Amino acid sequence: MIDLIKELTESYGPSGREEEVQKVVLKHLEGHIDGHRFDPLGNLLVWKKGKSDKKVLLDAHIDEIGLVVTNIDDKGFLRVEPVGGVSPYTYVGHRVKFPKATGVVYYEGETPDEQKKNLSNLTFDHLFVDIGAHDRKEAESLVPIGTFGVYDSYFHRNGKYLVSKSMDDRIGCAALVEVLKNLKDPKHTVIGSFSVQEEIGLVGASVAAYDFSPQLCVAVDVTDSADHPKGLKRACYGFGQGPCHKDQGSSLDKPQEGRRDVRAGCTKIRRVLPKGSFDFWRHKCRSPSKDQGRHPFGDAFYTYQIRPFAKRNRMPRRCGRRGKIAGELRQLGTRILMP
């Protein structure tokens, strides 16, 4: 699984440009699924047929945060806007990778005082990207306006931890791939949704299940870690403490019976995971579709999130996780789908 995570995280796939990562997913799922297709928005949907008429959808978003080129000056320097929730501070001094070029990000300032002022209140108006172009014409030939870029980083195994860009949420994609590869003769039809454009507003996931109407959805994503200096005081989760089940703040309320079932399932799962605790919040799902008058997942749909991977933000944004989670995730997926 480590090789799979490495290949996924090092692939280029900002929001709206996820094709390279989708090819990696399909390569690893070859011979393990009954079919796949792309919906009009670009979500990759795969499935394994079950014995019943019920359907379970597993979702992990396949895109990553990044930058988009919005202007180029006469000297060939790029001006950019964020794609997703990106802080300008995480880019300063770091490399960004475009399909045909690599650049370095820095902030402007004509005097030391102006540089200090800009750095203290940094915005994307102050940033520029140097790709080594001599003028606008050369820059446009390599990185035209509208080109998307991502962190130029590499995968590294640091003892028991993994360090890389785009762990959010390629680690969830890797979990889905492993579940689908190891799932044999499922009781219910299992759909894997590798959704697009999550980082810019849950775009892909909000429509991914219209054609399937599953009875249950499990969203697999990362969550913050609270076991570092000045971590969240009201949070009890951290590295090596097992997954979190999110059950908070929803526009689509779940019946009490559904909550009890999920909590009971989590109790069983917890016996095979590292010692730790679950956090129970209600998943924030999208409001019912106004144009179709129903929730995209059908009338009898309940959605829950499982966040198996803790992360710690770095500069640039990187996430770590214990390598032994691979076997635990397979057990987790099996217990969810084969009750």
Side-chain angles (χ1 to χ4, degrees):
M1 188 176 181
I2 300 299
D3 291 337
L4 170 62
I5 297 172
K6 181 179 187 298
E7 189 172 0
L8 286 171
T9 55
E10 291 185 346
S11 297
Y12 170 89
S15 297
R17 305 291 188 274
E18 300 91 349
E19 295 83 2
E20 182 178 324
V21 194
Q22 291 171 337
K23 291 179 181 178
V24 174
V25 170
L26 286 176
K27 181 183 73 173
H28 284 272
L29 286 178
E30 186 175 359
H32 297 284
I33 54 177
D34 294 322
H36 79 275
R37 71 176 185 84
F38 295 92
D39 69 13
L41 198 58
N43 296 311
L44 170 60
L45 303 169
V46 305
W47 56 87
K48 268 191 167 182
K49 295 180 180 179
K51 301 172 184 177
S52 76
D53 59 353
K54 294 184 178 180
K55 303 180 184 72
V56 176
L57 186 142
L58 307 178
D59 177 80
H61 70 89
I62 203 166
D63 60 318
E64 62 183 297
I65 55 176
L67 299 171
V68 59
V69 178
T70 57
N71 198 8
I72 304 174
D73 67 20
D74 293 337
K75 295 183 178 180
F77 294 102
L78 314 179
R79 295 292 182 167
V80 294
E81 289 284 344
V83 177
V86 184
S87 167
Y89 288 99
T90 63
Y91 275 108
V92 173
H94 292 290
R95 298 190 307 271
V96 290
K97 178 174 63 176
F98 301 97
K100 295 183 179 180
T102 300
V104 178
V105 182
Y106 210 64
Y107 58 96
E108 64 184 12
E110 293 183 331
T111 66
D113 287 341
E114 184 180 359
Q115 286 185 330
K116 184 177 180 180
K117 180 181 177 181
N118 289 345
L119 184 60
S120 65
N121 189 27
L122 194 64
T123 69
F124 279 89
D125 288 333
H126 302 132
L127 296 186
F128 62 88
V129 183
D130 182 1
I131 61 170
H134 292 87
D135 53 32
R136 181 187 179 94
K137 183 178 180 180
E138 183 182 356
E140 285 182 330
S141 68
L142 296 170
V143 187
I145 291 175
T147 302
F148 284 57
V150 299
Y151 288 116
D152 184 29
S153 182
Y154 59 91
F155 177 90
H156 176 64
R157 190 166 185 174
N158 187 17
K160 295 181 179 180
Y161 295 92
L162 307 178
V163 182
S164 179
K165 74 172 183 68
S166 68
M167 285 287 193
D168 179 8
D169 185 30
R170 305 287 166 72
I171 192 75
C173 294
L176 262 61
V177 169
E178 286 295 299
V179 168
L180 290 165
K181 287 170 66 176
N182 287 275
L183 189 61
K184 309 298 182 184
D185 299 322
K187 180 178 179 181
H188 309 305
T189 295
V190 179
I191 303 143
S193 169
F194 298 88
S195 55
V196 299
Q197 302 182 49
E198 187 270 352
E199 298 289 359
I200 57 175
L202 303 174
V203 177
S206 65
V207 300
Y210 269 118
D211 292 342
F212 294 98
S213 296
Q215 283 69 46
L216 176 69
C217 175
V218 179
V220 182
D221 208 335
V222 298
T223 191
D224 290 325
S225 172
D227 59 347
H228 56 81
K230 297 292 183 180
L232 295 173
K233 295 180 179 179
R234 290 181 292 171
C236 60
Y237 44 82
F239 279 12
Q241 296 180 9
C244 298
H245 165 229
K246 188 173 184 181
D247 191 27
Q248 174 200 20
S250 172
S251 59
L252 184 68
D253 201 14
K254 304 173 194 62
Q256 188 65 28
E257 181 181 355
R259 295 181 193 172
R260 285 197 299 266
D261 290 343
V262 171
R263 289 169 188 257
C266 285
T267 301
K268 294 178 182 179
I269 294 169
R270 191 169 170 181
R271 293 171 184 167
V272 301
L273 293 172
K275 182 180 179 181
S277 60
F278 284 88
D279 296 304
F280 290 94
W281 308 301
R282 201 180 318 161
H283 173 48
K284 183 179 180 181
C285 45
R286 299 293 289 254
S287 299
S289 173
K290 295 180 180 178
D291 57 338
Q292 296 201 19
R294 65 182 181 87
H295 194 273
F297 298 109
D299 297 331
F301 168 78
Y302 310 119
T303 181
Y304 300 92
Q305 273 195 340
I306 291 181
R307 294 178 174 259
F309 303 102
K311 69 176 183 180
R312 290 176 180 164
N313 290 334
R314 295 285 189 267
M315 295 182 61
R317 185 176 177 181
R318 297 172 179 173
C319 313
R321 186 60 190 144
R322 295 189 186 276
K324 65 181 182 180
I325 197 69
E328 296 159 3
L329 244 315
R330 284 194 288 271
Q331 293 174 319
L332 173 64
T334 302
R335 287 171 179 262
I336 290 174
L337 300 173
M338 300 291 289

